[in-house]
Amino acid sequence: MDDRTEFNRLSWHTRRGMLEIDVMLMTFTQHQYLSLSIDDQKAYRRLLDCEDQDIREWLRGFRLPEDKNFARNVMSVRKASGDLSLAAQQSRESLSG
């Protein structure tokens, strides 16, 4: 299977049926995925195998995954989607640190 076919499959796999996470995942996949390291690409593909409810809670910032690779990918997706709550949280952390 060639790289383009694999990328197209991955793009289809990002469609979860929940609009709020579909937009975040599809946009990230189309614009950021190929720039990830090989390890982060593998972690992202494993992230997509998680339950929709878990992915939703992670992407909406209700909680972070325990797996550090998943957490890094979640934060990347949130940042790429322009998550304003993430920007506010990072700003607060930089002011307190």
Side-chain angles (χ1 to χ4, degrees):
M1 181 176 328
D2 66 14
D3 290 341
R4 187 69 188 154
T5 301
E6 185 64 31
F7 183 76
N8 287 339
R9 283 184 181 211
L10 179 70
S11 293
W12 275 103
H13 195 54
T14 63
R15 291 173 172 88
R16 314 301 289 201
M18 298 174 82
L19 183 60
E20 62 188 323
I21 63 174
D22 284 357
V23 171
M24 295 173 83
L25 291 173
M26 291 168 54
T27 301
F28 182 82
T29 301
Q30 292 297 318
H31 299 287
Q32 305 292 326
Y33 175 79
L34 294 176
S35 66
L36 296 175
S37 70
I38 298 299
D39 289 338
D40 282 341
Q41 286 182 4
K42 289 177 184 176
Y44 185 72
R45 288 192 305 267
R46 286 194 335 268
L47 174 74
L48 295 176
D49 288 334
C50 293
E51 296 292 324
D52 290 349
Q53 190 61 35
D54 289 331
I55 293 172
R56 180 188 173 276
E57 289 181 7
W58 296 333
L59 292 180
R60 298 302 300 146
F62 299 130
R63 62 186 176 99
L64 280 175
E66 293 179 19
D67 182 296
K68 67 179 181 175
N69 293 322
F70 284 4
R72 187 173 51 248
N73 277 316
V74 165
M75 297 305 277
S76 295
V77 172
R78 289 179 62 195
K79 183 178 178 183
S81 71
D83 185 335
L84 298 178
S85 65
L86 177 61
Q89 176 185 356
Q90 289 173 336
S91 177
R92 284 191 304 273
E93 289 172 359
S94 69
L95 291 175
S96 66

